[in-house]
Amino acid sequence: MSQPYDVITMGRIGVDLYPLQTGVPLARVETFGKFLGGSATNVAVAAARLGRGAAVVTRTGRDAFGEYLHEALREFGVDDRWVTAVPGLPTPVTFCEIFPPDDFPLYFYRQPKAPDLELHVDELDLAAIGAARVFWTTGTGLCAEPSRSATLAALEHRAKSGTTVFDLDWRPMFWDSTARSAPDEARPYYAQAVAHATVAVGNLDECEIATGEREPYAAARALLAAGVELAVVKQGPKGVLAVHREGTTAEVPPVEVQVVNGLGAGDAFGGAMVHGLLAGWELERVMRYANAAGAIVASRLACSSAMPYPAEVEALLDGRAPGPEADPDPHPGPPHPDPHPEPRPERHPAPGGGTPGPVPGAAS
């Protein structure tokens, strides 16, 4: 692009293999849909769907799934020039189970190491990152080297220019065993990242990891004190709280929807928030728009391919149905309940990856 990007995101990418049956344990699922996935990547897709020029900085394996992700990014209109392959590491795959309305365990396959954690400082296009109107990165990028140093270097290079968003994105299973058992050990890295950001966004669990505060207003104040201009605290069924350093506050309730799969709602929220901030909207309008975008994705099966277009968000805000999700797979058909359900077995989902929070809406 000759002009700076509207948004460059940096972080996770992978292939989502989601069941095309609801209410079925993973062991009994017979059909899956294949989708582009990864939080930072989904945010770029969400912004592109809303008309923004978007690119993502990440890495895949040098394999067929990596090729698929490049193809999907191009189809979604996201620039893939900074998506490179890591020889010897497989492209990550993520499975989930779908038990609406609020139970969606995730199972990450990122062994022996995810390629997106092999981002190196000397490989970053810091000029493009510095020029982007919005730069978005996540807490997952801090979980291991060399990604940790690359993430902090990119944030430092931005020097709070434009809008620099740090998505708190706490995924304890990606960190080493010490940080998983003692999350406070991750806080210094979060503090460094927040100090270079202008916007911080996260749910209550993530705010507690970053600041030690769980009460929404206290968490927002702590994030502002740490250096951001705008703190966005997602409160699940209570909606979303946004507090600006200048004193503006918006507390917006969630949008009621029939939940199909709550995963991806937060990424849609993020892409829509970026869109609203770039448009210069007042804070409450940004949060309402972002909530509606997230709610639409919560009402659909997939993440990336479920990201809404502007007319769909406006329709929901106007009280109209945004329209059905495109069929993710023309062969098996859309997700359907198991015709012969059995009692659910006792399960222990991957820590921190199971539930986006109670939905209606997308403020989780």
Side-chain angles (χ1 to χ4, degrees):
M1 293 177 65
S2 56
Q3 298 297 317
Y5 291 83
D6 288 324
V7 57
I8 295 176
T9 69
M10 177 174 168
R12 275 194 295 122
I13 194 170
V15 175
D16 289 343
L17 294 176
Y18 282 3
L20 297 180
Q21 295 164 284
T22 62
V24 181
L26 194 60
R28 294 187 51 225
V29 174
E30 296 180 354
T31 55
F32 294 85
K34 182 181 71 189
F35 308 97
L36 171 77
S39 180
T41 304
N42 283 336
V43 170
V45 171
R49 277 276 171 97
L50 297 172
R52 298 297 177 177
V56 61
V57 180
T58 189
R59 306 196 75 180
T60 70
R62 185 169 288 166
D63 51 26
F65 276 152
E67 294 174 8
Y68 161 72
L69 293 175
H70 278 279
E71 293 172 0
L73 285 167
R74 293 166 189 153
E75 289 175 0
F76 286 126
V78 176
D79 196 321
D80 65 342
R81 69 181 65 190
W82 296 301
V83 181
T84 58
V86 180
L89 291 179
T91 298
V93 174
T94 302
F95 290 87
C96 79
E97 293 176 308
I98 300 177
F99 294 100
D102 60 0
D103 189 14
F104 308 101
L106 278 168
Y107 302 88
F108 293 98
Y109 292 81
R110 291 167 61 87
Q111 291 83 22
K113 185 179 184 181
D116 53 60
L117 296 177
E118 283 294 306
L119 289 165
H120 293 261
V121 174
D122 59 4
E123 296 173 345
L124 298 178
D125 188 338
L126 291 175
I129 288 172
R133 297 176 68 191
V134 176
F135 177 62
W136 178 292
T137 191
T138 77
T140 293
L142 302 177
C143 74
E145 292 289 5
S147 173
R148 179 183 299 150
S149 293
T151 298
L152 293 173
L155 287 167
E156 185 175 2
H157 181 79
R158 287 281 293 182
K160 292 184 180 290
S161 60
T163 299
T164 303
V165 184
F166 180 56
D167 177 359
L168 302 180
D169 185 40
W170 171 245
R171 302 279 183 173
M173 74 287 290
F174 298 161
W175 291 70
D176 64 29
S177 58
T178 303
R180 284 198 297 269
S181 60
D184 286 357
E185 295 194 10
R187 190 168 295 149
Y189 303 120
Y190 272 76
Q192 291 180 61
V194 170
H196 294 299
T198 64
V199 180
V201 55
N203 62 30
L204 295 175
D205 292 337
E206 292 165 339
C207 287
E208 186 174 16
I209 292 296
T211 68
E213 299 286 353
R214 188 172 181 85
E215 193 280 323
Y217 279 90
R221 289 192 295 269
L223 289 168
L224 294 174
V228 302
E229 298 172 8
L230 175 63
V232 180
V233 182
K234 302 175 186 179
Q235 306 177 76
K238 293 184 179 180
V240 62
L241 168 68
V243 182
H244 197 278
R245 179 181 297 280
E246 295 179 351
T248 306
T249 299
E251 191 160 13
V252 176
V255 179
E256 297 281 345
V257 293
Q258 183 68 42
V259 174
V260 173
N261 183 0
L263 303 173
D267 302 334
F269 178 99
M273 183 184 75
V274 165
H275 176 65
L277 292 174
L278 286 171
W281 295 342
E282 55 91 19
L283 189 57
E284 182 170 343
R285 182 182 178 188
V286 173
M287 294 299 111
R288 290 189 181 278
Y289 193 93
N291 259 1
I296 290 170
V297 173
S299 72
R300 296 172 171 177
L301 170 67
C303 295
S304 54
S305 63
M307 297 299 171
Y309 293 97
E312 295 178 300
V313 182
E314 295 294 344
L316 185 59
L317 289 170
D318 291 342
R320 295 176 284 118
E325 179 183 10
D327 187 352
D329 189 322
H331 302 294
H336 53 278
D338 181 18
H340 304 293
E342 296 178 358
R344 290 178 59 185
E346 182 178 352
R347 294 175 298 108
H348 300 279
T355 325
V359 185
S364 56

